[in-house]
Amino acid sequence: MRLRLWLELAGFAVLAVVVAAVPRFVSDFRARELAIVGMYFIALLGLSILTGHSGQISLGHGAFMAIGGYTTAVLSVNGVYGHQIRDLWTIPIAGVIAGVAGLLVGLPALRLSGLYLALITFGIAVSFPQLPKKFDHFLGGTTGKILALPRPPFGLSTTTNNWMYYLTWGIALVLLLAAWSLVRGKTGRALKAIRDSEVAAASSGVSLAKYKTLAFGISAFYAGVAGSLYAIANAYVNPDVFPIILSVYLVVGLAVGGLDSLITLIAGAGLIYFLQNHADTVARWLNHLPALNLDPKQPGIPSLVFGAVLIVVMLLLPGGAGGLLRRLFGSLTGRR
Amino acid sequence: MLAAFTWTEFAQQLAAGIREGAIYAGLALAIVIIYRSTRVINFAQGEMATFTTFIAWSLMNHGLSFWTAFPIVLAVAFAGGVAIERIVIHPVANASVVTIVIVTLGLALLLNGLTSVIWGGESRQFKGPFSTRTIDVGGVPISVQDIGIVVVSIGLVALLALFFRYTKLGLALRAAAVNPESSRLVGIRVGWMLALGWGIAAVLGAVAGMMIAPVVFLDPNMMQTILLYAFAAAVLGGLDSPVGAVVGGILLGVTITMLGRYVGFIGSTLKLPAALVLIFVLLLVRPGGLFGRVAERRV
Amino acid sequence: MCAIVAAVAVTSAGARPVATPGVSATEIHLGSSVPLSGEAAIAGNVARGIDAYFKYVNDKGGVFGRNITFTYLDDGYDPGRSVNNTIRLIQQEQVLAVFSSLGTSNNLAVRKLLNDAKVPQLYVSSGATTFGRDYKKYPWTIGYIPPYSEEGALYGRYVVKNIKRPKLAVLYQNDDYGRDLLGGLRRGLGGKAKSIVASVGYDPTSTDVQPQVTQLKASKANVLMVFAFGKFSLQAFNAVSRLGWKPQIFVNDVSSASALMAIVPQSAANGAISIVFGKDPASPLWRNDKGIKLFQTILGKYGTSITSRDLKDGYFTAGMATAFTMVDTLKKAGKNLTRQTLMNAATHLDEKGNPFVLPGIVIHTTPSSRFPLTQVRLQRWSGNAWHPFGKLISAKPG
């Protein structure tokens, strides 16, 4: 048990060191890409708490990211009583507002289970992009809202991309620690008990309502923070920036990263980013296989490649990267 | 600006709503059949329907008439559904729910991309079997096509109901869905029953696609929004209730069309969110949907 | 803030300072962000058309001995990815300019960052008026096709002049594109704006626009404006035909490709009016036209994965028209090619003889008039083809 604790702390330390060092070795644009991976990672951490640890499926977390993103946009552009708020300070506000939205969804979600919940949350993902279109005076409609480009504070002389990288990963590491301690502690045990058997959990005194709703709220907070960072990095929001498919990609990232893992979610985040933005690279790799001659620039090929990769990965690694890690290191720590 | 109210227009909107609902019903039924037999939500249902509709288009493009191509497409759809279940779904049948969801989502992406690659992305005409004339129903011009779509959809549902209730195979399918262990003991090849369920669902999807394509024009993304409404209809009716799927479909089609037309605030933009809110509210009152059963967990 | 972003562009250029990114003695590097996946994937064919044309030009010696490299990235129509792609094009690919990126919100999303980095945003593939109009704030941006608002105004002026006692019904897509057209229509109608008796918007998430058309018919209008995109326009014609309604239909240019008009019920399509400025490869009008023959030759020889269907796809032609203008601009900028000289060339165009647009059109720009294509003809559909009538008219704002 203690060995496992030390291993996890060591893993975290290694990660922190790697995160700090990486920008020195990669191009500026790559730093931006890694920053976006970091944003997906933050969202996935939250989703892991909800789906992996408390067993509630959400196919709507893109909507919580959107709430975070739009909060940041509205506060930075419209401001409060005309006073525009600096992008940095909007991040926690965005997280809180998204978190409250999560609580509001979590409450009625208590009455739903399994796939009904999945479909309702999917419905939220589908419906949410319509709201900025309806309330376009405030939320910008399809024209969207343009934010000021992100700039490092205190006149730090670093590039915009490096700044976004450090900002995002700094927040990610803090939130990772928070998630880790949550999961290890009383709350985490309660959540896992609920996931494994609601009846058993309730009969041992775990308040289903409290913990299930809490899980929704926390996971929505994480998604809101991720969405806020994403809005800042893009300096633009409109309904298409947080499309329906985003909620799908988040679940994909979770499954690939490992449902109830934390650190390996980075792999899931990386995969989501990579498949979306480098599908042509994957297509070119696949062309090495005999009889395949995919034109990476042909419309439709990116979707085809993405879908095929997803199926293959799920067939080969149903437990995701976390499951793989567990199998590899399970013997080490005496845990199966 | 909302146009003024006329009874004629009301009747026409109602007819259109019923027709929309019939399409939702067909797809919702497919979703429910798969859910009942394999406990999987098939997110690829729409793309499977679109793919098979494109096959129909190709056949008709090569000279076959609609009704000649129709049974061929159904056979291909059936085989495709069975194949997908055996090759892609069965291997992950015991994995977590999330894994299975990802697999069907991956399948949806793959089929969508494949359709684009094979046939291209532009909209094309699909000549349906019904004429585009209107006939006079009590003074209101109603489209023959709308009536035909409703008749075919309901007819298919009725045929399926008969199949499930009165044939041995249908009975075996229902048994395998409800109680796989006991079914095996009785000699039912449960694995193939599940595949059969997917085959039937694929057929339902193909019919829905071929019915709606003449109206909305055929393109790789044709079924995406329709599928969303079909999910809503399936949930509305109760995910494990075939009757619920059909009733839910028609009910949803009519309600949403009417709300979209006569409630200015909803208009076209908030139709999907309105559907969501309706379902959500209903589920709070009846957690299993209109006809579904949810095992009560008294804790 | 501008300094930081500009510093980004410079520091990522590597240790040695490059005179102008994207230009060397042998190469010009241009970039674009277009949808190759998702709902709008077919529009990605614009970029493939451009790519083919550039390869053809390279084969003939390029521009002043420089070959054009065209890097186009998939954004799936997601403006967030457009931003990512554009930043990658500037920083990693080091392009000279970004051109013909597709989508109104996609281009809006990157406009500020491109202008702050002083990278030309050329020939935006969107008809939103703002791209040509707001040059004072965004001097590095320029549009290409006639703006939607002017198109709408044109229809309005035509109605006032030619239709007695008009009662207009408008079906419009409920976003900037549809509203741009509708706003222009109102302006063109002038004092007669009240003749719009019904206007119904639809959301692009709609499954079918029959309910909207049913509603419009109930208003007893005798003119129908179809400001709808792609398949929604098709559905509108379908609905009009099914409902037995016979208004004078105007259909917006984006949805007027012959390939589309040919598959709707002809009883509804006949008599429909639209504008045109490009050559539609699916139209019998241009079957023996040198420009379209050139288009098909180039596409067949230099395109990738081209099917026989693609040879009649107007998206490819639109791409080649834009590419032609781009090459023209590069030539005009001269051997001393920098972002500034390129921008100057783009705002001083006087291009005649673009083989992919209507004969007689002059693509003309000045620093304060940034709508390259401003001449169109009206056309009427009958006998399965478009028939232009009248002279070239101006679609120039202001």
Side-chain angles (χ1 to χ4, degrees), chain A residues 71 74-86 90 93 138:
Chain A
T71 303
V74 168
L75 289 175
S76 320
V77 176
N78 300 25
V80 180
Y81 299 121
H83 184 74
Q84 292 182 324
I85 301 189
R86 171 89 202 250
T90 65
I93 304 176
F138 186 59

Side-chain angles (χ1 to χ4, degrees), chain A residues 51 57 59 108 111-112 115-116 119-120 122-124 126-127 130 133-135 198 202 248 251-252 255 259 298-301 303-304 306-308 310-311 314-315 318, chain B residues 35 39 41 43 88 91-92 96-99 102-103 105-107 109-110 113-114 116-117 228 231 235 238-239 265 269-270 272-273 276 280 283-284 287-288 297 299:
Chain A
T51 303
I57 305 182
L59 285 171
R111 300 264 289 168
L112 303 169
L115 286 165
Y116 280 96
L119 285 172
I120 286 293
F122 189 56
I124 296 177
V126 162
S127 306
Q130 302 301 98
K133 292 191 215 174
K134 184 69 190 173
F135 303 106
E198 286 195 16
V248 169
V251 177
V252 168
L259 268 175
Q298 196 182 357
I301 292 286
S303 306
L304 182 64
F306 200 136
L310 277 185
I311 295 178
M314 282 295 104
L315 285 177
Chain B
Y35 179 76
R39 280 277 173 271
I41 294 287
F43 284 96
V88 173
V92 290
S96 71
V97 175
V98 172
T99 303
I102 304 293
V103 166
L105 285 167
L107 189 60
L109 277 169
L110 192 152
L114 191 62
S116 266
V117 168
L228 298 175
F231 280 135
V235 171
L239 271 178
F265 180 73
T269 314
L270 292 185
L272 271 172
L276 167 73
F280 202 34
L283 284 182
L284 290 182
R297 268 177 14 242
V299 179

Side-chain angles (χ1 to χ4, degrees), chain B residues 104-181:
Chain B
T104 61
L105 285 167
L107 189 60
L109 277 169
L110 192 152
L111 280 174
N112 183 271
L114 191 62
T115 309
S116 266
V117 168
I118 298 179
W119 285 285
E122 68 275 7
S123 296
R124 55 198 75 207
Q125 188 189 27
F126 187 91
K127 283 208 174 68
F130 305 116
S131 100
T132 52
R133 278 176 20 244
T134 57
I135 59 174
D136 211 318
V137 175
V140 178
I142 302 286
S143 153
V144 169
Q145 202 169 41
D146 285 352
I147 299 177
I149 291 174
V150 174
V151 166
V152 166
S153 304
I154 301 300
L156 186 59
V157 166
L159 266 176
L160 268 174
L162 291 174
F163 166 77
F164 278 117
R165 193 173 263 281
Y166 294 114
T167 68
K168 268 182 79 173
L169 195 54
L171 186 59
L173 242 169
R174 284 161 62 206
V178 169
N179 199 332
E181 281 78 35

Side-chain angles (χ1 to χ4, degrees), chain C residues 26-325:
Chain C
T26 52
E27 194 204 28
I28 300 172
H29 198 171
L30 297 172
S32 186
S33 179
V34 294
L36 294 174
S37 58
E39 281 252 332
I42 33 162
N45 287 336
V46 169
R48 293 168 76 204
I50 294 175
D51 192 47
Y53 188 78
F54 283 162
K55 291 196 167 97
Y56 159 75
V57 166
N58 290 343
D59 238 13
K60 296 196 340 182
V63 179
F64 297 121
R66 295 175 172 128
N67 275 359
I68 306 176
T69 306
F70 182 52
T71 301
Y72 58 105
L73 302 172
D74 176 27
D75 59 24
Y77 211 64
D78 173 353
R81 286 172 63 186
S82 306
V83 171
N84 212 34
N85 288 344
T86 307
I87 293 183
R88 173 170 159 188
L89 287 170
I90 306 176
Q91 293 185 359
Q92 197 168 292
E93 308 294 329
Q94 304 272 303
V95 297
L96 170 69
V98 171
F99 103 106
S100 197
S101 286
L102 199 134
T104 303
S105 22
N106 308 66
N107 277 291
L108 283 177
V110 302
R111 181 165 62 172
K112 188 169 194 328
L113 76 93
L114 283 170
N115 273 269
D116 282 355
K118 298 192 171 39
V119 175
Q121 183 184 24
L122 298 177
Y123 311 138
V124 164
S125 195
S126 153
T129 318
T130 174
F131 292 118
R133 180 191 60 209
D134 297 327
Y135 56 89
K136 289 211 181 89
K137 208 165 157 195
Y138 301 108
W140 292 88
T141 301
I142 184 166
Y144 193 64
I145 61 176
Y148 302 133
S149 58
E150 278 318 301
E151 184 181 347
L154 265 174
Y155 296 142
R157 289 197 283 270
Y158 180 89
V159 165
V160 168
K161 235 170 94 169
N162 296 288
I163 300 189
K164 286 202 282 275
R165 282 191 291 274
K167 293 211 293 249
L168 277 72
V170 182
L171 174 72
Y172 65 100
Q173 181 153 305
N174 210 346
D175 63 7
D176 298 312
Y177 149 73
R179 283 189 242 155
D180 230 347
L181 282 159
L182 178 57
L185 173 70
R186 289 211 173 99
R187 211 172 8 97
L189 287 170
K192 289 232 168 140
K194 287 221 179 71
S195 43
I196 300 180
V197 295
S199 64
V200 179
Y202 71 89
D203 191 273
T205 60
S206 300
T207 55
D208 178 21
V209 294
Q210 180 177 323
Q212 282 83 357
V213 175
T214 308
Q215 187 182 339
L216 287 170
K217 178 181 180 214
S219 73
K220 302 204 192 322
N222 55 10
V223 176
L224 172 65
M225 297 281 168
V226 176
F227 293 158
F229 183 76
K231 69 176 178 192
F232 299 112
S233 167
L234 297 174
Q235 292 166 1
F237 277 100
N238 235 9
V240 166
S241 162
R242 272 210 306 279
L243 292 169
W245 188 19
K246 290 194 185 317
Q248 168 63 58
I249 299 183
F250 290 79
V251 59
N252 75 106
D253 169 73
V254 164
S255 306
S256 68
S258 296
L260 292 177
M261 293 297 292
I263 61 178
V264 300
Q266 293 301 292
S267 57
N270 282 330
I273 294 179
S274 183
I275 62 166
V276 61
F277 50 86
K279 289 180 186 165
D280 185 346
S283 165
L285 266 180
W286 310 111
R287 196 174 323 182
N288 296 314
D289 175 77
K290 274 172 59 185
I292 288 300
K293 287 212 158 110
L294 177 66
F295 155 74
Q296 291 174 335
T297 313
I298 295 179
L299 194 61
K301 186 166 174 204
Y302 298 98
T304 53
S305 310
I306 299 293
T307 67
S308 58
R309 210 179 40 238
D310 292 337
L311 294 172
K312 292 193 181 285
D313 182 338
Y315 282 111
F316 287 98
T317 328
M320 280 206 202
T322 321
F324 182 91
T325 306

Side-chain angles (χ1 to χ4, degrees), chain C residues 365-385:
Chain C
T365 59
T366 72
S368 55
S369 169
R370 299 204 181 196
F371 298 94
L373 273 167
T374 53
Q375 294 162 293
V376 304
R377 288 181 79 186
L378 288 166
Q379 55 179 4
R380 190 177 282 114
W381 180 268
S382 76
N384 251 295

Side-chain angles (χ1 to χ4, degrees), chain B:
Chain B
M1 67 187 89
L2 278 185
F5 179 91
T6 66
W7 279 110
T8 311
E9 197 214 326
F10 180 84
Q12 288 174 326
Q13 300 282 14
L14 189 62
I18 295 177
R19 183 258 286 155
E20 275 289 292
I23 301 288
Y24 302 158
L27 274 180
L29 186 57
I31 292 166
V32 165
I33 289 179
I34 288 184
Y35 179 76
R36 261 165 72 102
S37 57
T38 55
R39 280 277 173 271
V40 167
I41 294 287
N42 182 12
F43 284 96
Q45 190 66 56
E47 305 305 320
M48 284 165 62
T50 309
F51 191 82
T52 46
T53 310
F54 265 97
I55 294 179
W57 181 88
S58 278
L59 288 174
M60 295 190 336
N61 211 29
H62 277 89
L64 277 76
S65 79
F66 179 89
W67 291 114
T68 321
F70 191 73
I72 303 178
V73 172
L74 295 194
V76 169
F78 184 80
V82 168
I84 289 177
E85 198 280 333
R86 292 280 87 189
I87 299 175
V88 173
I89 304 296
H90 180 71
V92 290
N94 291 320
S96 71
V97 175
V98 172
T99 303
I100 305 178
V101 165
I102 304 293
V103 166
T104 61
L105 285 167
L107 189 60
L109 277 169
L110 192 152
L111 280 174
N112 183 271
L114 191 62
T115 309
S116 266
V117 168
I118 298 179
W119 285 285
E122 68 275 7
S123 296
R124 55 198 75 207
Q125 188 189 27
F126 187 91
K127 283 208 174 68
F130 305 116
S131 100
T132 52
R133 278 176 20 244
T134 57
I135 59 174
D136 211 318
V137 175
V140 178
I142 302 286
S143 153
V144 169
Q145 202 169 41
D146 285 352
I147 299 177
I149 291 174
V150 174
V151 166
V152 166
S153 304
I154 301 300
L156 186 59
V157 166
L159 266 176
L160 268 174
L162 291 174
F163 166 77
F164 278 117
R165 193 173 263 281
Y166 294 114
T167 68
K168 268 182 79 173
L169 195 54
L171 186 59
L173 242 169
R174 284 161 62 206
V178 169
N179 199 332
E181 281 78 35
S182 305
S183 305
R184 267 190 209 102
L185 291 174
V186 186
I188 295 178
R189 306 270 301 279
V190 170
W192 283 104
M193 290 299 107
L194 304 187
L196 183 60
W198 273 74
I200 294 178
V203 165
L204 278 167
V207 171
M210 288 190 279
M211 288 293 105
I212 200 63
V215 178
V216 299
F217 290 87
L218 179 63
D219 78 76
N221 303 308
M222 175 177 79
M223 282 302 208
Q224 277 170 10
T225 312
I226 297 179
L227 182 66
L228 298 175
Y229 284 114
F231 280 135
V235 171
L236 176 67
L239 271 178
D240 48 10
S241 164
V243 171
V246 176
V247 171
I250 307 236
L251 205 56
L252 189 70
V254 171
T255 311
I256 290 302
T257 304
M258 290 305 166
L259 281 179
R261 164 61 180 96
Y262 292 108
V263 179
F265 180 73
I266 293 181
S268 176
T269 314
L270 292 185
K271 271 168 80 167
L272 271 172
L276 167 73
V277 168
L278 279 174
I279 312 300
F280 202 34
V281 167
L282 179 90
L283 284 182
L284 290 182
V285 174
R286 285 182 73 93
L290 283 175
F291 294 90
R293 262 153 306 184
V294 176
E296 283 291 351
R297 268 177 14 242
R298 295 236 169 273
V299 179

Side-chain angles (χ1 to χ4, degrees), chain A:
Chain A
M1 202 50 169
R2 287 200 55 105
L3 177 62
R4 177 149 164 257
L5 174 61
W6 282 114
L7 272 176
E8 289 186 348
L9 283 174
F12 181 82
V14 166
L15 177 64
V17 166
V18 167
V19 161
V22 154
R24 235 170 291 254
F25 299 99
V26 297
S27 74
D28 199 50
F29 180 71
R30 196 68 79 200
R32 179 193 162 82
E33 297 197 291
L34 291 172
I36 298 182
V37 170
M39 294 166 205
Y40 285 133
F41 176 55
I42 294 174
L44 289 180
L45 282 173
L47 199 55
S48 169
I49 293 176
L50 180 69
T51 303
H53 289 90
S54 81
Q56 302 179 79
I57 305 182
S58 167
L59 285 171
H61 260 55
F64 295 121
M65 281 185 73
I67 292 178
Y70 266 91
T71 303
T72 289
V74 168
L75 289 175
S76 320
V77 176
N78 300 25
V80 180
Y81 299 121
H83 184 74
Q84 292 182 324
I85 301 189
R86 171 89 202 250
D87 50 15
L88 263 188
W89 312 134
T90 65
I91 300 176
I93 304 176
V96 165
I97 294 191
V100 168
L103 286 175
L104 291 175
V105 169
L107 271 171
L110 290 172
R111 300 264 289 168
L112 303 169
S113 60
L115 286 165
Y116 280 96
L117 181 62
L119 285 172
I120 286 293
T121 51
F122 189 56
I124 296 177
V126 162
S127 306
F128 194 81
Q130 302 301 98
L131 294 181
K133 292 191 215 174
K134 184 69 190 173
F135 303 106
D136 54 350
H137 286 298
F138 186 59
L139 295 177
T142 48
T143 320
K145 286 181 138 7
I146 300 178
L147 288 74
L149 293 172
R151 64 191 194 284
F154 320 122
L156 278 175
S157 65
T158 180
T159 66
T160 311
N161 290 340
N162 278 346
W163 161 239
M164 284 312 305
Y165 173 90
Y166 282 117
L167 177 66
T168 306
W169 279 100
I171 294 178
L173 288 174
V174 168
L175 289 179
L176 170 62
L177 266 180
W180 180 75
S181 80
L182 182 98
V183 159
R184 287 188 77 241
K186 175 172 165 234
T187 313
R189 286 198 296 276
L191 293 178
K192 277 188 224 172
I194 294 176
R195 176 193 66 194
D196 293 334
S197 166
E198 286 195 16
V199 176
S203 26
S204 12
V206 174
S207 162
L208 291 181
K210 171 174 160 195
Y211 283 102
K212 284 174 82 168
T213 322
L214 193 62
F216 249 103
I218 295 176
S219 68
F221 172 83
Y222 273 69
V225 168
S228 168
L229 286 163
Y230 195 68
I232 295 174
N234 285 326
Y236 182 78
V237 293
N238 94 336
D240 291 319
V241 173
F242 301 102
I244 301 173
I245 196 86
L246 174 62
S247 297
V248 169
Y249 290 158
L250 288 176
V251 177
V252 168
L254 180 67
V256 168
L259 268 175
D260 56 358
S261 321
L262 291 177
I263 277 196
T264 54
L265 292 175
I266 297 181
L271 183 95
I272 307 176
Y273 181 84
F274 189 74
L275 277 181
Q276 272 187 85
N277 294 283
H278 295 276
D280 53 337
T281 313
V282 180
R284 254 171 258 135
W285 287 346
L286 288 175
N287 280 339
H288 290 312
L289 293 173
L292 265 188
N293 194 3
L294 303 168
D295 172 13
K297 293 303 195 184
Q298 196 182 357
I301 292 286
S303 306
L304 182 64
V305 166
F306 200 136
V309 169
L310 277 185
I311 295 178
V312 167
V313 168
M314 282 295 104
L315 285 177
L316 294 178
L317 277 182
L324 184 64
L325 211 63
R326 213 158 288 154
R327 267 188 276 153
L328 289 178
F329 289 101
S331 39
L332 245 190
T333 58
R335 212 177 71 101
R336 193 129 308 275

